[in-house]
Amino acid sequence: MNHSDTLELSLQLLRQPSVTPVDHDCQNIMADRLAKIGFNIEKLRFEDVDNLWARRGTENPVFCFAGHTDVVPTGHLDAWNSDPFQPTIRDGKLYGRGSADMKTALAAMVVASERFVAKHPDHKGSIAFLITSDEEGPSINGTVKVVETLEARNEKMTWCLVGEPSSTNQLGDIVKNGRRGSLNAVLTVNGKQGHVAYPHLAENPIHLASKALNELCETVWDNGNEYFPATSFQISNIQAGTGATNVIPGHLKVTFNFRYSTEVTAEILQQRVLEILDKHKLNYDISWTFSGLPFLTPVGELVNAAKTAIKGVTGVETVLSTSGGTSDGRFIAPTGAQVLELGVLNATIHQINEHVNVDDLEPLAEIYEQILVQLLT
């Protein structure tokens, strides 16, 4: 196999305009390659979402590569220096939508598996792929449904490596061994509309809520722990008023989010918010939506295999982190699998002119292959 295997497959995947939830043809391209080296291919479509479960072997332990073929929309095409779905190499960088998040990682996973199987056709346990086209969207018919399907037939993953772009300054410098939980709320504070000249005949919900909102902003929810930073509370939207300067609004709508550590639960946060709102005697309605539980993979076989592989290939001493947004790891971790995220640099994800360093592609495939060697030989 030549040096450019990972690049060639990356280019093939990047040419597919797979804007979420459309897979276009990415999973078929991957499945064809995996079928040739003895993977059993299972295509699981739920509603408008394509998912792939591929497995080589029937025994435990099961090492699973997980990831997504869908990408976020491109934004204005004229802002890109080249067509986002015509991958282009300039100055050692590969440009294209999905280059960092995360089609190059998918290519590296396939190539790593091909090389590993060629050298170790009788490896122990099983290698699996869990690929979805619904990670960038609502995440309702993707990984979560595949996990439900596997759980229903008691098919378990031992270790799961998610190919999300985890690196910051150089390949492998950071791996994510957990993620914070995410909890959203929309709070409506009810007042009474009226004329600004007659405030005694109205109830201004902005004024009524201001002390409570300030207290929510000032509250220390926890102090985090060795793996997680302290829980953060952020208001992302506030809406009130008719647009007129002389009308006291009748309602105030506030949208906020918690990114929380394993020191608290969603239930604890909800209860503490309600206590603060009630203390300030507000007339309110609140609705909660839950984006994901926090998860954590402590140092163990998977973390150690990744650290050793990264050190061996790049010479980098990797650092464990739980920062950043959510990932599909949140659906896999509750099954009991050890979950880790390891991929290319994340500096340009979701941006105009998204790109990766071409020189990182082969080392990433090598790291993935070395992790397989440590866990399945």
Side-chain angles (χ1 to χ4, degrees):
M1 292 197 174
N2 61 30
H3 174 78
S4 61
D5 284 342
T6 310
L7 175 59
E8 286 304 315
L9 182 51
S10 295
L11 293 171
Q12 209 179 341
L13 294 172
L14 286 165
R15 290 186 192 110
Q16 311 299 318
S18 56
V19 176
T20 190
V22 176
D23 168 68
H24 216 263
D25 209 22
C26 295
Q27 289 173 27
N28 288 334
I29 292 168
M30 294 175 68
D32 289 348
R33 297 272 291 250
L34 295 172
K36 286 188 180 121
I37 54 167
F39 276 77
N40 177 55
I41 304 298
E42 204 174 336
K43 294 176 181 177
L44 299 167
R45 187 172 168 90
F46 301 104
E47 303 289 333
D48 57 348
V49 174
D50 288 302
N51 303 288
L52 172 68
W53 173 252
R55 180 167 172 171
R56 184 184 199 275
T58 55
E59 302 294 312
N60 289 330
V62 179
F63 179 91
C64 178
F65 285 114
H68 61 91
T69 51
D70 60 320
V71 298
V72 293
T74 58
H76 289 296
L77 291 176
D78 52 9
W80 285 73
N81 293 339
S82 51
D83 186 324
F85 295 115
Q86 291 298 323
T88 310
I89 297 171
R90 293 192 300 277
D91 303 323
K93 294 180 170 55
L94 170 60
Y95 289 83
R97 175 57 89 223
S99 56
D101 189 10
M102 51 169 269
K103 289 182 177 179
T104 52
L106 298 177
M109 291 170 175
V110 172
V111 170
S113 300
E114 289 171 337
R115 292 175 181 168
F116 176 76
V117 167
K119 293 171 197 162
H120 308 278
D122 301 320
H123 62 81
K124 72 180 190 191
S126 303
I127 312 173
F129 277 70
L130 195 175
I131 309 296
T132 185
S133 62
D134 181 38
E135 198 272 347
E136 300 290 8
S139 301
I140 293 167
N141 292 307
T143 301
V144 65
K145 284 275 173 69
V146 180
V147 168
E148 283 171 13
T149 303
L150 297 174
E151 287 285 285
R153 59 196 197 203
N154 204 26
E155 195 169 351
K156 293 281 190 185
M157 295 169 248
T158 316
W159 307 291
C160 180
L161 190 150
V162 186
E164 289 289 344
S166 63
S167 305
T168 302
N169 297 312
Q170 60 187 122
L171 183 67
D173 60 354
I174 304 260
V175 295
K176 301 282 172 78
N177 66 320
R179 292 281 195 162
R180 295 174 294 175
S182 178
L183 175 67
N184 306 290
V186 178
L187 167 69
T188 305
V189 179
N190 303 307
K192 186 180 176 189
Q193 189 173 313
H195 196 295
V196 294
Y198 302 93
H200 58 290
L201 299 178
E203 291 176 25
N204 190 322
I206 301 174
H207 295 197
L208 294 171
S210 60
K211 283 194 174 69
L213 294 180
N214 187 56
E215 186 172 337
L216 289 169
C217 294
E218 297 293 321
T219 295
V220 176
W221 305 93
D222 62 40
N223 295 308
N225 54 37
E226 64 172 314
Y227 291 109
F228 286 93
T231 292
S232 74
F233 168 89
Q234 286 293 315
I235 294 173
S236 54
N237 264 296
I238 291 188
Q239 294 165 293
T242 61
T245 56
N246 59 355
V247 179
I248 292 169
H251 304 280
L252 169 70
K253 187 173 166 187
V254 184
T255 306
F256 60 84
N257 171 270
F258 283 103
R259 290 298 162 105
Y260 65 97
S261 77
T262 47
E263 293 294 303
V264 290
T265 63
E267 292 72 28
I268 288 171
L269 293 173
Q270 288 170 323
Q271 185 187 340
R272 288 177 65 186
V273 167
L274 297 183
E275 283 168 3
I276 290 170
L277 297 176
D278 291 340
K279 183 174 89 178
H280 291 278
K281 298 185 169 56
L282 296 178
N283 173 4
Y284 66 89
D285 303 291
I286 192 163
S287 63
W288 303 90
T289 53
F290 193 54
S291 308
L293 289 163
F295 72 89
L296 180 69
T297 296
V299 173
E301 304 134 334
L302 181 59
V303 168
N304 289 333
K307 282 186 156 183
T308 304
I310 291 164
K311 182 79 177 2
V313 175
T314 66
V316 171
E317 294 282 356
T318 197
V319 173
L320 299 175
S321 168
T322 58
S323 65
T326 59
S327 82
D328 275 2
R330 70 188 189 271
F331 302 125
I332 298 164
T335 68
Q338 294 179 30
V339 178
L340 201 63
E341 297 175 26
L342 165 57
V344 294
L345 273 62
N346 58 24
T348 63
I349 60 172
H350 295 205
Q351 293 182 18
I352 300 289
N353 295 321
E354 178 182 350
H355 61 269
V356 290
N357 298 321
V358 174
D359 286 348
D360 284 347
L361 302 189
E362 283 304 317
L364 183 61
E366 177 71 12
I367 290 167
Y368 288 166
E369 185 186 344
Q370 290 307 317
I371 292 172
L372 288 171
V373 168
Q374 288 178 73
L375 294 174
L376 295 182
T377 59

